[in-house]
Amino acid sequence: GVESMQVIKGSAAITQGVGNDLGSPGGVINVVTKTPKFVNGGEVSLRVGSWGQVRPTFDVQSVLDSKKTIAFRLNGAYERADSYRKHISSNRVYINPSLEWRPDDKTTVTLELDYLNDNKTPDAGTVNLDGDSIEALYKMPHDKFLGFSTDNVNSKILTYAARITRQIADKVSIRAAYFNASYNVDNVGANVNSKASKVPGEDYLRQRTLGRSLRDDKNSTFQLDLIGRDIYTGSVKHTFQIGFDYKRTDLSTTAYNTIIIDSTLNVLND
């Protein structure tokens, strides 16, 4: 869904962006998303790679009326892949529709939506076979997995935006924008770090537990700006911006108690 990326540096960056602060003199990265270009066309592509990776993508756009005042664009992707380690895989679905309306030569209204559903298997990794003080990582074979078949991290990201720009004079415009985003994560996975034996040399005996955590992150931003470009005050040419930003964040996290599934697990076994 990204058309290009811009880096705004210096004094121009101070008035741009809403984060924990307003802008940054060190620079702001502006991610330009894909919106209609008022042309008819499209493209499809297919990428394949190692470990069963398959990634088809598409990007189509069209002008919807004869006066070329409204256009639509839709791009998306699907990707699935396995891993060098058995039982680990990922599956992603992405969709990004956008609509732009130009009722006259001074007004532009843009609507965007961005959705990603990402599922992947968390890798429980390996263990240290010789205590905590000496590094003796178990070189686990690639066909071994210490987790469960139900281990999965599901991330759902939804963003939608509405923007309007109105030219009110030759070099002065008003810009208003509203953005809303939600980020949800459901993480279910195994852990094999706890030792099942206090006997020296039996660090290959572990407890295998199952845990779960949730994250619900909602953000909304409203921006209103009055912008003047190439304005002259006497012989001085300059640009000005007067604006108002409002941001709201609602974040909640939930961590469930882990439960012991295997009180004693020999990681060296099949």
Side-chain angles (χ1 to χ4, degrees), residues 83-85 88 121-126 140 144-147 151 190:
S83 169
Y84 69 91
R85 187 169 303 286
I88 293 181
T121 309
D123 190 352
T126 185
M140 194 165 61
K144 183 177 292 188
F145 177 61
L146 296 182
D151 290 359

Side-chain angles (χ1 to χ4, degrees), residues 92-151:
R92 299 173 180 173
V93 176
Y94 175 78
I95 193 76
N96 173 217
S98 58
L99 180 74
E100 188 161 296
W101 178 42
R102 299 174 182 174
D104 53 52
D105 58 354
K106 296 182 179 180
T107 308
T108 301
V109 179
T110 305
L111 303 176
E112 298 180 68
L113 187 142
D114 189 274
Y115 176 74
L116 172 68
N117 190 331
D118 182 8
N119 287 279
K120 58 185 178 182
T121 309
D123 190 352
T126 185
V127 297
N128 195 337
L129 294 177
D130 197 10
D132 298 327
S133 59
I134 301 175
E135 183 177 322
L137 292 178
Y138 170 40
K139 295 182 179 180
M140 194 165 61
H142 291 172
D143 61 352
K144 183 177 292 188
F145 177 61
L146 296 182
F148 298 102
S149 61
T150 55
D151 290 359

Side-chain angles (χ1 to χ4, degrees), residues 43-55:
E43 65 177 20
V44 295
S45 67
L46 176 64
R47 175 187 298 177
V48 295
S50 302
W51 315 112
Q53 182 196 35
V54 178
R55 179 184 170 87

Side-chain angles (χ1 to χ4, degrees), residues 85-233:
R85 187 169 303 286
K86 196 174 181 181
H87 305 297
I88 293 181
S89 63
S90 62
N91 187 300
R92 299 173 180 173
V93 176
Y94 175 78
I95 193 76
N96 173 217
S98 58
L99 180 74
E100 188 161 296
W101 178 42
R102 299 174 182 174
D104 53 52
D105 58 354
K106 296 182 179 180
T107 308
T108 301
V109 179
T110 305
L111 303 176
E112 298 180 68
L113 187 142
D114 189 274
Y115 176 74
L116 172 68
N117 190 331
D118 182 8
N119 287 279
K120 58 185 178 182
T121 309
D123 190 352
T126 185
V127 297
N128 195 337
L129 294 177
D130 197 10
D132 298 327
S133 59
I134 301 175
E135 183 177 322
L137 292 178
Y138 170 40
K139 295 182 179 180
M140 194 165 61
H142 291 172
D143 61 352
K144 183 177 292 188
F145 177 61
L146 296 182
F148 298 102
S149 61
T150 55
D151 290 359
N152 185 65
V153 179
N154 175 243
S155 301
K156 294 179 180 178
I157 304 172
L158 173 65
T159 304
Y160 57 87
R163 294 178 289 156
I164 180 170
T165 302
R166 173 71 178 177
Q167 196 81 21
I168 60 175
D170 182 33
K171 298 179 180 180
V172 181
S173 62
I174 293 178
R175 180 181 62 194
Y178 175 76
F179 301 88
N180 191 291
S182 65
Y183 175 47
N184 300 99
V185 180
D186 187 349
N187 185 350
V188 179
N191 188 292
V192 291
N193 287 332
S194 299
K195 298 179 182 179
S197 174
K198 295 182 180 181
V199 178
E202 291 187 351
D203 295 278
Y204 56 87
L205 299 178
R206 300 291 171 125
Q207 289 183 348
R208 184 161 57 169
T209 61
L210 184 64
R212 186 186 185 193
S213 63
L214 303 175
R215 179 186 179 96
D216 186 8
D217 192 349
K218 294 182 175 65
N219 295 273
S220 61
T221 300
F222 175 74
Q223 296 176 302
L224 180 64
D225 295 289
L226 176 66
I227 303 168
R229 292 185 174 89
D230 298 335
I231 305 296
Y232 279 91
T233 302

Side-chain angles (χ1 to χ4, degrees), residues 247-262:
K247 181 180 179 181
R248 183 175 184 274
T249 299
D250 184 5
L251 169 64
S252 64
T253 58
T254 305
Y256 293 91
N257 292 330
T258 59
I259 57 174
I260 299 176
I261 304 297
D262 299 293

